[in-house]
């Protein structure tokens, strides 16, 4: 048995924090895999907010949710807006009460999608700060980073520096990474104090 993939590892970390009835956020909807995962974890009394700047991503997520429709899924609200706007988009009453925020950075890995539309360091750093404010104590933030594409290594390094610089009083940070391949994806996770 080998190590978990970075996506499986991120899911494993989040699964221990999200309980039925919780609120969770998919900061970068993409194909909707994390959105569906969070909807299952939060359950029918829960709520999931998903953010993406591409309409195609929201279509992919809606399709995935419809294909896996179940009364046990959380209510999902998909927003056509940048993850840097999540703090304003999530109702004030939920600030400081979110169980998990998942980021899967890079570009939309969908056939026909424009690979030049990527997440950008500036907006990602704003979104990470917003996510930390939205999380409840012991809530978790995961960021899957892809240094292997144009712009990806700079963004990944900035996220790594952001997580490393967090005061221990705010949260604790970990990294899950294959060390022999510099361009392989990896996960940075933060547990809020």
């Amino acid at each position: 048995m080998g190590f978990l993939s970075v996506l499986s590892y991120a899911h494993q970390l989040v699964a221990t924090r999200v309980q039925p009835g919780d609120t969770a956020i998919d900061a970068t909807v993409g194909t909707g895999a994390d959105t569906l995962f969070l909807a299952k974890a939060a359950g029918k009394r829960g709520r999931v907010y998903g953010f993406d700047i591409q309409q195609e991503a929201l279509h992919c997520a809606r399709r995935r949710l419809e294909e896996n429709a179940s009364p046990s899924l959380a209510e999902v609200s998909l927003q056509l807006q940048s993850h840097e706007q999540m703090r304003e988009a999530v109702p004030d009453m939920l600030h400081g009460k979110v169980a998990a925020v998942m980021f899967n950075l890079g570009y939309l890995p969908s056939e026909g999608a424009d690979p030049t539309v990527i997440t950008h360091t500036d907006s990602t750093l704003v979104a990470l700060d917003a996510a930390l404010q939205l999380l409840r104590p012991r809530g978790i933030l995961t960021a899957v980073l892809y240094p292997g594409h144009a712009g990806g290594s700079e963004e990944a390094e900035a996220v790594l520096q952001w997580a490393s610089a967090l005061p221990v009083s705010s949260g604790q940070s970990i990294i899950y990474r294959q060390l022999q391949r510099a361009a392989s994806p990896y996960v940075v996770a933060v547990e809020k104090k």
Side-chain angles (χ1 to χ4, degrees):
M1 182 171 154
F3 290 117
L4 291 172
S5 72
V6 292
L7 295 174
S8 295
Y9 186 70
H11 284 190
Q12 186 177 69
L13 290 172
V14 170
T16 64
R17 306 305 169 103
V18 179
Q19 301 299 312
D22 279 343
T23 298
I25 297 172
D26 184 351
T28 51
V29 167
T31 64
D34 291 340
T35 310
L36 177 61
F37 166 76
L38 291 169
K40 287 178 179 178
K44 65 182 176 184
R45 294 184 327 273
R47 176 109 182 157
V48 174
Y49 292 88
F51 297 89
D52 209 292
I53 61 167
Q54 295 182 80
Q55 190 66 55
E56 182 179 347
L58 301 185
H59 289 310
C60 287
R62 278 191 193 96
R63 192 172 329 119
R64 187 181 294 259
L65 290 164
E66 288 167 3
E67 289 169 358
N68 292 276
S70 164
S72 64
L73 291 181
E75 181 181 339
V76 176
S77 175
L78 297 174
Q79 308 289 320
L80 182 63
Q81 59 191 122
S82 174
H83 55 290
E84 71 183 314
Q85 298 167 321
M86 75 171 88
R87 190 167 182 270
E88 294 78 24
V90 172
D92 289 347
M93 67 181 189
L94 295 174
H95 291 201
K97 297 180 180 172
V98 173
V101 182
M102 298 186 78
F103 291 79
N104 198 336
L105 300 171
Y107 57 89
L108 179 60
S110 177
E111 190 174 318
D114 183 352
T116 65
V117 178
I118 61 172
T119 53
H120 294 280
T121 302
D122 292 345
S123 62
T124 295
L125 292 174
V126 170
L128 290 168
D129 285 335
L132 202 55
Q133 292 173 19
L134 290 168
L135 285 173
R136 67 184 179 207
R138 294 192 34 83
I140 192 161
L141 176 159
T142 62
V144 179
L145 307 166
Y146 296 89
H149 68 86
S153 61
E154 294 83 4
E155 182 178 44
E157 184 59 33
V159 172
L160 191 56
Q161 287 178 9
W162 174 85
S164 298
L166 278 178
V168 177
S169 59
S170 296
Q172 60 180 344
S173 306
I174 63 168
I175 184 172
Y176 179 76
R177 181 178 201 170
Q178 183 179 359
L179 298 175
Q180 297 95 330
R181 294 190 179 125
S184 65
Y186 61 98
V187 176
V188 168
V190 176
E191 177 190 57
K192 184 174 179 176
K193 286 286 185 178

